[in-house]
Amino acid sequence: MRQVLVNPLSGYYMHGDVFGRQGDFVTSPEISQLFGEMTAIWYLTEWMRLGKPSKTQFVELGPGRGTLMSDMLRTLSQFPYFYETITGVHLVEASPGLRKMQRSALVKDAEDVDGNVEKATRPDGIDIFWHDGAEVVPDGWSCIMAHEFFDALAVHSFEKTEEGWRELLVDFDDTVELSPDTWYTGQSLADIMSKGGGAGLVIDYGQDYVQGDTIRAIRKHEIVHPMSDPGSADLSADVDFAALKVAMKKYPDITTYGPVTQSKFLQSLGIQTRLEMLLKNAKTSESRTTLIKGFQRLLDPAMMGRIYKVMAFTKENSTTGSKPVGFE
């Protein structure tokens, strides 16, 4: 999975833009601006709940086109008392092509650059940094976002036989999946938060328990066999949130919440009210239709509302006495 997705020469994510209707799959931030706006409000409420620290930073793993971070920063700029605390945005991204797309989304009118993007400054003065791994993100009070990131980390598949557990290296059958990469990355995020404080979200499809064979490949919005033409399709596996929580709880000062469904999370943040406001200000029937369809796709249990889960993790103190919005 790791080679297929991020090999520097032929990895799937190294090809360039794989998102949207013209790509292989579409993500929640690309479906509707409502998603980024609601998650931004969640970080704002957590900042207030956890004591309004004077300096904060944003960290996003696998930022895609940069749409989610762009929507969050646009929303948070309406709250200058929080926005002015942001010292930087740190993006963990392996693909040079996607880094350039993220730079274009976050730094308007950015000039083309040769080579790998490592730093850029927005017109509002916020610095954007790119990193190869979460372990090199600097310490600080962090708002961490991992949206559809853990599902792309490599898993090992094991089958219980008469001779005991055996790892499957080629075939797929009735299996149990384990992901050392998920364990390691979860601990890296908990380490950042334990040192500097903060609040984070993991938003992905998966369950709160170990699962069987969930490895899948998607090409042009259709499920294909994972072994068919590796490198031409996205590979992913359902996230084991239970294992992720255990990994993070290596740090006793880190508290995890959930997971809850995406529908419950977004509704708790007032997405219905925000939709009504946008519909009222929409200038065309086409834009209103787009808003309604995006809203339905994000919340409908038959679409993304149930299968996508949201887990929160924070560094608490003994005086907090409350829970994050959406996890009460």
Side-chain angles (χ1 to χ4, degrees):
M1 285 181 68
R2 189 182 300 113
Q3 289 300 319
V4 165
L5 295 177
V6 295
N7 182 285
L9 297 179
S10 57
Y12 172 76
Y13 286 123
M14 303 302 174
H15 294 169
D17 189 5
V18 297
F19 306 99
R21 290 185 177 87
Q22 302 305 315
D24 292 316
F25 59 92
V26 64
T27 62
S28 295
E30 305 292 342
I31 290 172
S32 174
Q33 68 183 72
L34 290 164
F35 186 83
E37 292 173 349
M38 293 300 101
T39 53
I41 295 302
W42 187 85
Y43 287 113
L44 173 64
T45 62
E46 280 299 278
W47 175 76
M48 293 189 289
R49 187 180 73 92
L50 297 175
K52 299 181 181 180
S54 60
K55 292 184 178 181
T56 66
Q57 64 181 13
F58 271 80
V59 180
E60 184 177 3
L61 285 70
R65 288 173 167 171
T67 304
L68 176 55
M69 184 58 66
S70 178
D71 284 345
M72 289 198 298
L73 292 178
R74 172 180 53 79
T75 303
L76 293 171
S77 67
Q78 305 302 310
F79 305 90
Y81 50 89
F82 175 42
Y83 199 69
E84 291 168 1
T85 71
I86 302 174
T87 60
V89 173
H90 299 270
L91 306 178
V92 177
E93 177 58 69
S95 168
L98 288 177
R99 286 189 180 197
K100 290 182 180 180
M101 293 184 63
Q102 294 153 13
R103 185 176 187 270
S104 296
L106 295 169
V107 184
K108 302 301 181 184
D109 301 321
E111 297 180 358
D112 291 337
V113 294
D114 295 327
N116 207 10
V117 179
E118 295 184 354
K119 180 183 177 182
T121 302
R122 287 166 53 87
D124 57 16
I126 293 179
D127 288 329
I128 313 294
F129 303 89
W130 282 265
H131 307 282
D132 292 325
E135 67 279 0
V136 296
V137 172
D139 296 341
W141 201 96
S142 301
C143 298
I144 300 176
M145 169 62 79
H147 176 260
E148 289 207 44
F149 175 82
F150 282 95
D151 67 274
L153 298 185
V155 298
H156 294 260
S157 295
F158 295 86
E159 181 177 3
K160 193 171 185 179
T161 70
E162 294 179 356
E163 291 78 30
W165 285 99
R166 295 292 183 267
E167 183 171 9
L168 302 181
L169 299 179
V170 177
D171 197 11
F172 299 99
D173 205 338
D174 293 332
T175 65
V176 168
E177 296 171 346
L178 302 175
S179 176
D181 286 0
T182 291
W183 188 273
Y184 173 74
T185 304
Q187 289 195 341
S188 295
L189 298 183
D191 181 66
I192 293 171
M193 192 168 291
S194 181
K195 290 177 179 177
L201 291 173
V202 176
I203 306 176
D204 228 313
Y205 46 85
Q207 301 293 345
D208 201 21
Y209 48 81
V210 66
Q211 299 167 83
D213 179 15
T214 69
I215 296 175
R216 66 181 69 81
I218 299 178
R219 184 190 302 121
K220 300 299 180 184
H221 305 273
E222 299 289 340
I223 299 292
V224 298
H225 195 283
M227 295 298 179
S228 65
D229 196 14
S232 69
D234 181 43
L235 285 185
S236 63
D238 283 13
V239 175
D240 179 358
F241 285 99
L244 187 55
K245 289 189 288 186
V246 171
M248 289 184 170
K249 287 180 179 178
K250 172 186 175 182
Y251 297 83
D253 56 352
I254 299 301
T255 303
T256 61
Y257 297 93
V260 300
T261 64
Q262 177 170 289
S263 177
K264 178 181 185 297
F265 177 74
L266 294 176
Q267 290 187 71
S268 71
L269 287 160
I271 191 172
Q272 176 77 44
T273 301
R274 177 58 177 161
L275 172 66
E276 293 170 359
M277 184 183 301
L278 290 174
L279 290 174
K280 183 178 180 180
N281 295 326
K283 297 181 179 180
T284 66
S285 59
E286 182 180 1
S287 61
R288 285 189 287 272
T289 299
T290 298
L291 284 167
I292 293 172
K293 287 184 176 179
F295 173 86
Q296 291 174 334
R297 189 166 179 181
L298 291 177
L299 271 66
D300 190 334
M303 295 181 178
M304 305 176 84
R306 180 185 59 82
I307 190 172
Y308 279 85
K309 307 296 193 306
V310 184
M311 186 191 95
F313 58 105
T314 65
K315 182 175 181 178
E316 303 278 355
N317 59 57
S318 58
T319 61
T320 303
S322 60
K323 293 183 179 181
V325 173
F327 301 90
E328 298 88 345

